Amino acid sequence: MSEAVTLNARRLADASRVVVKIGSSLLVDAASGHLNRDWLGSLAEGIVRMRARGQQVILVSSGAIALGRPYLGMKRTQGLLEENQAAAAAGQVILAHAYQEIFAHFDVKIAQVLLTPDDTESRRRYLNARNTLETLLSLEAIPVINENDTVATQEIRYGDNDRLAARVAEMVSADVLVLLSDVNGLYSADPGASPDADFIPEVTAITNEIAAMAGEARTPFGSGGMATKVAAARICMSAGCATVIATGQEPQPLQRIEQGEICTWFLPASTPLAARKQWIAGTLTPAGTLSVDPGAEKALLLGKSLLSVGVVGVAGDFERGDAVTIRSASGRNLAHGLVAYDSDEATALVGRQSDEFENILGYRGRKELVHRDNLVLLVEE
Ligand code: GLU
């Protein structure tokens, strides 16, 4: 095994947070249209093993439409949007039930989360979805995510769970996204049509050439092909998350990736935290200002979070999750950060200790006004 392959194989075992996307073609038996329980059982074993090592795992699972169509007596593969939406409504129940039953054997709890693009693109819903996922993880449940196919219309659908999984990985700052399907990675050409196509084990930049290799290949059930997988990898790369495309068709697919079996790794240039900070530093127009006392200024410069006790003034009209400027008593812009409270709440919290928050706000919010992971210091002349 080459050094690069060994190094990449270790990435999965070393990741603290992993999103695993499971394609319909693995979960649903093509001949019978039934759920592949044995396969799911063996995947669950691998996930339980990762959790025992202290890793957090989130699943993004397709399969609702593929399970729902035969259940409702429809033809298996083709379908109008409204038929597929009806199929998803029925199939999602079968899917969630199967996950719950199979993980119960390992004494692991699961929770179903159905998302639409709005939930990952619009700021407030994004924050809510992220908080829910964080809470589920802190309760040691495995979130099992799918697109909310029943309400998503053609124009606002993800349509494929590869990109949905990438948005989830970005949202929870995952270290690795695993795309499990019926292909073992990226080839220079369609290996079915050109047997001498080269396998690409590692990608560090999605060039036009790489995008062209992805082509338009499709499988009968899932709506994704190699093109959506590369699109997913692109989203993850800019979020500092590595993506691995691997086959789920062999037993114990996650262990096989760790053992260096053939698969394609897309490697980001930075870590999720660095990518997030770069985004905060670069693209945001601050919606307000928090003025801080010298004690808080000192703490910020040491890399600490901003606590309300050190805030002396709030200006502007902002929502939770908006970008704000943090300014010193002498009027110097110190940092940009994403604030955990809206401007009315922040004003009420000025100078207060975090154990007073519940009395003031009526709920127990975050103890930091701006968490250090959401904060970037500004270097001024
Ligand atoms: N959300 C669809 C389902 O559960 C699958 C989308 C995809 O093929 O990626 O059936």
Side-chain angles (χ1 to χ4, degrees), residues 184-241:
N184 54 12
L186 182 66
Y187 288 82
S188 59
D190 178 356
S194 342
D196 54 353
D198 290 327
F199 185 74
I200 318 280
E202 184 177 302
V203 176
T204 52
I206 298 180
T207 55
N208 290 343
E209 196 190 359
I210 295 285
M213 286 174 190
E216 288 294 328
R218 277 171 192 280
T219 57
F221 284 147
S223 32
M226 195 45 86
T228 61
K229 291 183 177 44
V230 172
R234 191 195 293 272
I235 294 170
C236 284
M237 279 165 105
S238 62
C241 171

Side-chain angles (χ1 to χ4, degrees), residues 184-185 187 199 245-247 256-257 260-264:
N184 54 12
Y187 288 82
F199 185 74
I245 299 178
T247 177
R256 290 170 65 88
I257 296 172
E261 287 291 331
I262 180 167
C263 56
T264 300

